[in-house]
Structures are given as C-alpha cells and as structure tokens.
Amino acid sequence: MTTPREYRGRPVVPGYAEGEVVVVESISFYGDVNVDTGVLVDGRSIAGKILLARRSRGSTVGPYILYALRRKGKAPKAIILTSRSDPVLVAGAVIAGITLVDSVPEDVLRFAVDGDRIVVREDGGVIVSPSHHKT
C-alpha cells in the first residue's frame, strides 16, 4: 500500500468530509449526473462520495441539480477541483451545503483513483489514502 499524500487547496465552501473518491476529468451537474440517483452517465455513483475533477463545466441549472441531489440524499459529500471554481458551482455548493475545495495541485489527479479514501479538512487540506494502486 502506498503512503497517503496530502495536498493543499483553497477552501471555497469550508467543511469536513471523508469517504471514497470518484475521479472525473470534468463535471457538469446538468447532463453528467442523474438527479434522481446520483449516478454519472458512465454508471458510477457520486452519492455520498468525494468527487475529484480537474474542472467543472457550468450550467445555470447546476445549482438546482446539486440542491435536488442533496434533498434526495444523492449528493457528493465534497467536491475537489484542481482548477478554480466557477461561480455557478460555488452557488450550487453553497445552497446544497457541499464542501468545495479548489486549486488543489494537479498531481492529485495522477495519484488518486476511484475507491481511494479521501479526507477533506476545513482548511482546504486534502489527504488521499490509496487503497489499490498498481505498482
């Protein structure tokens, strides 16, 4: 097992979360996520997980979808981006009460894989504990 790695990001919507990660290149809550199930178009669930992406692709409907996911118990626990958050995603995270950290170093995308355990701290710290890496 590989040693956990710690990264530092900008806590946009501060909060503590921990759980299993789902890694995507980019995310648009309008079009990429089934609002009733919290399942991505590729079949992976983000419900109760930590969503890690390079960037978000905004849609003005996105905040409402995040809020609906939260109300249905299908929202991610936290969202981590390596880029800066767009205002639409920030609005959605705020109204849905979802922890949001951005500006995390790109290296996290090369290190973290689906199923790894992630802890997101209120100060923007992100700790990735690998569960199954190829050597």
Side-chain angles (χ1 to χ4, degrees):
M1 188 163 167
T2 306
T3 305
R5 288 194 187 181
E6 185 169 345
Y7 300 90
R8 173 77 62 187
R10 181 176 72 122
V12 180
V13 180
Y16 178 87
E18 64 179 276
E20 186 179 314
V21 69
V22 173
V23 182
V24 298
E25 174 64 25
S26 64
I27 185 72
S28 170
F29 286 94
Y30 179 68
D32 289 351
V33 182
N34 180 309
V35 71
D36 294 316
T37 63
V39 173
L40 298 171
V41 293
D42 66 10
R44 297 179 294 162
S45 175
I46 61 169
K49 308 237 175 110
I50 309 293
L51 182 61
L52 171 61
R54 185 176 313 279
R55 64 184 178 87
S56 63
R57 300 184 326 274
S59 164
T60 56
V61 179
Y64 302 103
I65 292 172
L66 274 173
Y67 181 70
L69 287 166
R70 169 62 73 204
R71 286 191 58 223
K72 295 175 183 196
K74 302 299 181 182
K77 290 181 179 179
I79 301 168
I80 302 168
L81 300 177
T82 61
S83 64
R84 296 281 282 197
S85 304
D86 65 74
V88 173
L89 178 62
V90 174
V94 168
I95 66 170
I98 297 171
T99 299
L100 174 60
V101 175
D102 72 9
S103 303
V104 174
E106 285 275 326
D107 182 57
V108 71
L109 291 170
R110 290 185 293 280
F111 185 72
V113 297
D114 283 7
D116 284 351
R117 187 138 190 92
I118 288 194
V119 173
V120 182
R121 298 189 320 241
E122 289 202 23
D123 66 357
V126 174
I127 301 165
V128 180
S129 297
S131 58
H132 56 279
H133 280 279
K134 295 178 184 173
T135 54

